[in-house]
Amino acid sequence: MTTTDMPKSGFAAALRRLPSAQKSAKGAPAYSRFVNRKAGGYLAAAAFLLKATPNQVTAVSALFTFAGITAVATAAPSWPLGIAVGLALVVGYALDSADGQLARLRGTSSIAGEWLDHVIDSAKIATLHLAVLVCAFRFFDLPSGFLLVPLGYAAVETVMFFAMILNDQLRRGRHSGSGAPAPAGGRPPVLRSLLVLPTDYGVLCLAFLLLGSPMAFSAVYGALFLLNTAFLAAALPKWFGDMARLDRTAAEQV
């Protein structure tokens, strides 16, 4: 359905159409699934009424996100800074959800838009942790060994993001090549969404609200790093097994 097909009934009508334009929430952690997606939906509906394009929403998302990242690296930690950074990252994340919802709402999803979204996502994942590294080096009165934490976190999240994107692309490519439809996702259990909450980018955004207390922030940030590392160590063998099963399924269909 294109933009011209949409009924011009305002914000509420756009919101009502969003559920049919949603991607599957399978595997999504709780904040992304229950908070960020809903916030992104409201922003997508507003952007639809303003006749904004998905790429424009992506650009605004990047402005909020990288403004927050720049502030982490350049300004001395304080409670007002932590609140400003946390809000900037949260709004940027909500807009990151809104651009895809807007594209599906308008019926204008594109490969170029998906590429732009993923490139910006990969840039923010790496630079956010590098900004923490710079901030800790300049302003934190902590043992120098803590500087290894943001370096390790950047590596873990980069690998995790790439693996998850690759999983999705390979599954879509395999099902497309076989001519069979992708399996239905179903409704994932709430418990699973809660268990993987520490891997949620939204939780990381909220951690920056503690930036006024370097000790509190470093403790939460370090805990999230350890939990993400443990998750990745457990997930990589499973994902490899999933890809191996796709190979076996394809071989059986030949």
Side-chain angles (χ1 to χ4, degrees):
M1 180 175 289
T2 63
T3 304
T4 56
D5 297 321
M6 295 290 293
K8 300 177 181 178
S9 304
F11 184 79
L15 281 179
R16 284 196 296 271
R17 288 190 173 270
L18 275 172
S20 63
Q22 298 283 18
K23 292 175 69 176
S24 170
K26 185 177 182 180
Y31 180 90
S32 293
R33 180 178 171 185
F34 301 116
V35 179
N36 198 61
R37 173 171 289 201
K38 183 170 290 188
Y42 283 108
L43 292 170
F48 178 80
L49 293 183
L50 293 172
K51 301 187 186 303
T53 67
N55 286 350
Q56 288 171 337
V57 174
T58 301
V60 176
S61 170
L63 285 175
F64 274 94
T65 297
F66 290 109
I69 291 172
T70 301
V72 171
T74 59
S78 67
W79 289 109
L81 177 70
I83 292 171
V85 168
L87 288 176
L89 295 177
V90 164
V91 172
Y93 189 36
L95 287 164
D96 184 33
S97 174
D99 58 7
Q101 295 187 61
L102 176 62
R104 292 185 288 276
L105 189 63
R106 290 166 51 101
T108 57
S109 297
S110 67
I111 294 174
E114 185 175 4
W115 179 91
L116 179 65
D117 185 52
H118 289 332
V119 167
I120 290 176
D121 283 346
S122 62
K124 78 183 181 188
I125 287 170
T127 56
L128 180 59
H129 296 294
L130 294 180
V132 173
L133 174 65
V134 172
C135 179
F137 177 77
R138 295 181 64 196
F139 303 114
F140 286 9
D141 185 19
L142 293 172
S144 58
F146 178 77
L147 299 178
L148 297 175
V149 175
L151 285 175
Y153 210 154
V156 166
E157 283 219 310
T158 298
V159 172
M160 190 183 305
F161 177 75
F162 178 78
M164 293 173 72
I165 294 297
L166 190 58
N167 290 345
D168 183 56
Q169 295 296 324
L170 290 174
R171 287 191 183 103
R172 280 196 287 176
R174 177 65 73 190
H175 288 294
S176 174
S178 66
R187 185 170 180 82
V190 173
L191 179 59
R192 186 193 186 286
S193 292
L194 292 173
L195 288 174
V196 297
L197 188 58
T199 68
D200 200 319
Y201 176 78
V203 172
L204 179 59
C205 293
L206 294 175
F208 283 87
L209 295 172
L210 298 173
L211 200 57
S213 170
M215 288 296 294
F217 171 78
S218 61
V220 171
Y221 183 83
L224 289 175
F225 163 60
L226 292 176
L227 291 168
N228 275 267
T229 302
F231 174 84
L232 183 63
L236 285 176
K238 177 190 179 300
W239 292 337
F240 181 80
D242 291 343
M243 298 303 108
R245 280 190 290 275
L246 286 178
D247 281 333
R248 289 195 294 271
T249 301
E252 291 168 359
Q253 292 173 347
V254 174

